[in-house]
């Protein structure tokens, strides 16, 4: 699933997701991740994405990026 923020920034959307333990636990329990195709340091160029978005899915790169977010937000 690809999502873009409406009424908030990318940072706010990221924080909203990562601060919600139900969402985080659901993603962890179902082996879902967040692929960063929305920041300048994201993978947009490498994945061929045509626009900024947050990709949520079981993809290996999404799981890698989600683990980075878990570390960033100090979630175990």
């Amino acid at each position: 699933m690809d999502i873009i923020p409406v009424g908030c920034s990318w940072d706010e959307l990221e924080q909203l997701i990562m601060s919600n333990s139900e969402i985080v636990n659901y993603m962890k329990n179902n082996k879902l991740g967040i692929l960063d195709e929305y920041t300048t340091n994201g993978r947009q160029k490498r994945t061929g994405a045509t626009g900024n978005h947050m990709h949520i899915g079981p993809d290996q790169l999404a799981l890698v990026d989600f683990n980075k977010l878990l570390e960033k937000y100090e979630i175990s």
Side-chain angles (χ1 to χ4, degrees):
M1 167 176 57
D2 295 338
I3 60 174
I4 59 171
V6 175
C8 65
S9 69
W10 289 107
D11 286 338
E12 291 169 327
L13 178 59
E14 179 185 290
Q15 290 170 8
L16 178 69
I17 291 170
M18 298 307 294
S19 67
N20 186 311
S21 61
E22 288 183 41
I23 293 173
V24 171
N25 287 331
Y26 179 86
M27 293 181 68
K28 288 168 56 175
N29 292 335
N30 291 283
K31 296 182 174 76
L32 298 173
I34 298 174
L35 179 57
D36 176 357
E37 295 186 295
Y38 54 96
T39 68
T40 54
N41 295 326
R43 302 176 187 274
Q44 186 174 3
K45 290 181 183 177
R46 289 179 36 193
T47 62
T50 57
N52 290 348
H53 64 275
M54 183 181 286
H55 174 80
I56 298 176
D59 320 68
Q60 184 60 38
L61 291 177
L63 294 169
V64 168
D65 285 358
F66 184 57
N67 283 325
K68 290 178 185 176
L69 287 174
L70 291 172
E71 289 177 18
K72 175 181 174 180
Y73 288 90
E74 299 179 348
I75 300 170
S76 54

